[in-house]
Amino acid sequence: MDFRELERKVVAFRDARGWAKYHTPKNLAISAAVELGELLEHFQWETDEEVLELAKNPAKREAIADEIADVVIYLTLLAHELGIDLDEAVKRKLRKNEEKYPVE
């Protein structure tokens, strides 16, 4: 699935429920940060090794995946509201990173 398809599905889901009025750029940015905080709770107080071990548990991995998905959904809606093409934004940022951090 590309970002455009994801955007279409997320916007259709939101619009079918009449939630667009709540999805201002400020609210979406705050919601993305809140969801990122919920994702971080899964890692709090754990070592990298413990996190990797926890992720072997299907229920724990699904809970982490759900939080990642929530962050992606809110960022997709934020980009939509601001008229940002995520496909192009990611490609452009990767090019900038390649220039800034060349392979040595």
Side-chain angles (χ1 to χ4, degrees):
M1 176 181 330
D2 64 20
F3 285 120
R4 287 180 188 99
E5 181 182 349
L6 175 63
E7 181 181 350
R8 282 190 297 274
K9 288 183 177 190
V10 170
V11 169
F13 178 90
R14 176 198 68 185
D15 290 351
R17 288 154 181 80
W19 295 345
K21 62 187 172 191
Y22 305 111
H23 288 179
T24 65
K26 176 187 71 95
N27 287 345
L28 291 167
I30 290 169
S31 295
V34 168
E35 293 299 337
L36 190 55
E38 291 179 12
L39 172 62
L40 290 172
E41 287 179 335
H42 291 281
F43 301 96
Q44 188 175 23
W45 316 120
E46 307 292 349
T47 66
D48 290 340
E49 294 78 19
E50 290 169 331
V51 169
L52 291 171
E53 191 61 35
L54 286 172
K56 292 178 182 177
N57 176 309
K60 183 69 168 177
R61 189 174 50 253
E62 182 175 345
I64 292 169
D66 285 349
E67 297 304 340
I68 292 170
D70 284 340
V71 172
V72 170
I73 288 167
Y74 278 123
L75 291 178
T76 300
L77 288 167
L78 178 58
H80 173 79
E81 291 304 312
L82 297 175
I84 295 171
D85 181 323
L86 282 174
D87 285 312
E88 288 304 313
V90 170
K91 289 176 192 174
R92 184 177 54 253
K93 183 60 178 173
L94 284 173
R95 283 192 304 273
K96 288 179 180 179
N97 286 347
E98 288 172 349
E99 292 173 12
K100 187 173 182 179
Y101 306 105
V103 176
E104 298 188 27

